[in-house]
Amino acid sequence: MAEKKVTKIGVLTSGGDAPGMNAAIRAVVRTGLYYGLEMFGVMRGYSGMIEDDIVPMNSRSVANIIQRGGTILKTARSAEFFELEGRKKAYENLKKRGIDGLVIIGGDGSFKGAQKFANEFDIPCIGLPGTIDKDIAGSDFTIGFDTAVNTAVEAIDKIRDTADAHDRLFIVEVMGRDAGYIALHSGIATGAENILIPETKTDIEAIIASLTEKEKRKKLVNLVVVAEGDKFGGGNEIGAILKNRLPNADIRVCILGHIQRGGSPSCLDRLIASRMGFASVECLLQGTHNVMVGIMNNKLHYTPLDNAVKAKQKISDDWLRIVKILAS
Ligand code: F6P
């Protein structure tokens, strides 16, 4: 049977926002227009699909946004879309406009919704990995990760200045949900003395022993970067333990929080968002359906949505060795 040609594409952002989402929206819309398609923006992720908050988009709708953080389409996490009733409503709203292709920019949770929707209804879905957490397999980078890490690095560098001035031990908690990529990358890049991530077992006794040894040789300025999802605990928990076990140390805790999600996207994020957005429309036109578009080894890479939601990126042993050797 001949593939039905896609004529109208809807684009949405879902889950936590990530810098570069606007660049991706721009690429999707402008590529679609280039191919003569009608383009629509779905507001507030799947919520807008269910509540029929869908707007036509032209080239001007996406002007002057490539450099802006956040998402002009707004975003949300929709519980209703995880119910069949919600997905049916969403489908009807797309159908009545003749939207026959969907691009979803979001993370793991957003792809789970897309996967269900694509399996139930005749509207093909393409996912673009948009999350600061980099916790999705099938792409070396996710849109937003590079900017978030650079924000964390800038903040941690500043913290080191004040730590140095006061001879303090700082515990800095970074985001990442269940993944330790932001902590790993920002920790290595700032020369953190300890990096705590959920992917490895945190040996608190070893950390205390090494900080005690440093205290003895008067190395009092130390940075511990901890991923919020570390199984041992976040910044506050680690801070409380260290304060208790190292009574002579001058310890402060800093939770970086949502600052990591905002700001103008880095060049890398703008580039990958533009490439992925462009490729998503070509996928729909060529009949490559229900995949996530990623970039691996600097080449476009397509992962079936089913696999994208199942697999996680694995932290390579090389990275972990670097942490061990350099953070001593
Ligand atoms: O997934 C992106 C992320 O920023 C995580 O790193 C963090 O755990 C979570 O979202 C925070 O979500 P919210 O903005 O809903 O508090």
Side-chain angles (χ1 to χ4, degrees):
M1 199 174 74
E3 201 66 62
K4 202 173 111 241
K5 188 166 167 359
V6 172
T7 56
K8 298 185 185 187
I9 294 179
V11 55
L12 62 91
T13 47
S14 164
D17 63 303
M21 281 184 162
N22 280 328
I25 296 166
R26 172 180 177 270
V28 172
V29 170
R30 292 212 170 148
T31 307
L33 295 172
Y34 169 80
Y35 283 112
L37 310 179
E38 266 186 70
M39 302 303 292
F40 293 84
V42 182
M43 302 303 295
R44 294 174 292 107
Y46 296 124
S47 306
M49 233 160 103
I50 294 170
E51 291 158 24
D52 203 17
D53 196 356
I54 301 172
V55 293
M57 298 193 90
N58 60 34
S59 189
R60 290 304 90 203
S61 324
V62 291
N64 199 20
I65 65 167
I66 194 168
Q67 78 284 16
R68 282 169 55 193
T71 156
I72 58 161
L73 295 176
K74 311 245 179 209
T75 185
R77 296 188 176 101
S78 167
E80 209 184 335
F81 196 73
F82 281 86
E83 305 298 326
L84 181 59
E85 272 315 296
R87 293 196 294 279
K88 274 188 189 156
K89 272 193 218 162
Y91 174 72
E92 294 308 326
N93 289 330
L94 297 183
K95 218 51 199 170
K96 76 181 181 202
R97 286 184 177 77
I99 294 175
D100 45 16
L102 208 53
V103 177
I104 296 110
I105 308 163
D108 173 56
S110 312
F111 292 167
K112 283 189 184 128
Q115 177 201 28
K116 280 186 193 300
F117 189 77
N119 289 338
E120 287 161 355
F121 302 102
D122 58 351
I123 297 187
C125 295
I126 304 292
L128 303 187
T131 164
I132 64 165
D133 301 335
K134 201 171 103 79
D135 56 350
I136 295 172
S139 191
D140 289 337
F141 288 96
T142 56
I143 298 165
F145 172 74
D146 184 62
T147 309
V149 167
N150 278 297
T151 301
V153 165
E154 204 183 320
I156 298 169
D157 282 347
K158 287 177 178 164
I159 290 170
R160 193 183 274 283
D161 286 347
T162 176
D164 187 60
H166 285 265
D167 279 338
R168 279 179 172 156
L169 161 58
F170 261 88
I171 293 120
V172 185
E173 181 191 290
V174 296
M175 277 189 168
R177 203 181 288 278
D178 302 322
Y181 286 98
I182 298 178
L184 184 70
H185 287 225
S186 64
I188 292 175
T190 55
E193 278 70 17
N194 294 97
I195 303 171
L196 281 49
I197 53 174
E199 291 82 355
T200 57
K201 197 168 175 313
T202 291
D203 184 347
I204 197 76
E205 291 307 326
I207 293 169
I208 292 167
S210 100
L211 290 169
T212 307
E213 183 273 322
K214 287 187 174 103
E215 203 171 81
K216 280 197 189 123
R217 57 179 163 93
K218 300 271 178 284
K219 184 188 182 308
L220 303 177
V221 183
N222 291 294
L223 288 178
V224 176
V225 174
V226 53
E228 64 175 349
D230 186 71
K231 304 222 171 50
F232 202 86
N236 285 325
E237 287 81 13
I238 302 290
I241 294 169
L242 295 186
K243 279 179 189 170
N244 182 33
R245 298 285 301 277
L246 300 166
N248 297 325
D250 191 3
I251 299 178
R252 294 289 186 277
V253 174
C254 176
I255 313 280
L256 287 191
H258 285 82
I259 190 173
Q260 295 160 96
R261 284 237 298 261
S264 180
S266 67
C267 178
L268 179 68
D269 277 330
R270 296 180 201 194
L271 289 178
I272 64 169
S274 300
R275 286 180 78 188
M276 290 175 184
F278 172 80
S280 66
V281 174
E282 292 211 321
C283 274
L284 286 169
L285 286 170
Q286 289 159 5
T288 310
H289 293 165
N290 308 331
V291 296
M292 182 196 84
V293 179
I295 292 177
M296 301 276 272
N297 302 321
N298 205 22
K299 289 200 171 62
L300 288 162
H301 184 87
Y302 306 93
T303 307
L305 276 179
D306 288 340
N307 298 353
V309 300
K310 273 185 220 135
K312 291 275 170 221
Q313 262 188 55
K314 201 180 156 316
I315 288 182
S316 93
D317 293 341
D318 288 353
W319 284 98
L320 300 174
R321 284 191 62 227
I322 289 174
V323 171
K324 270 223 171 88
I325 293 166
L326 301 189
S328 58

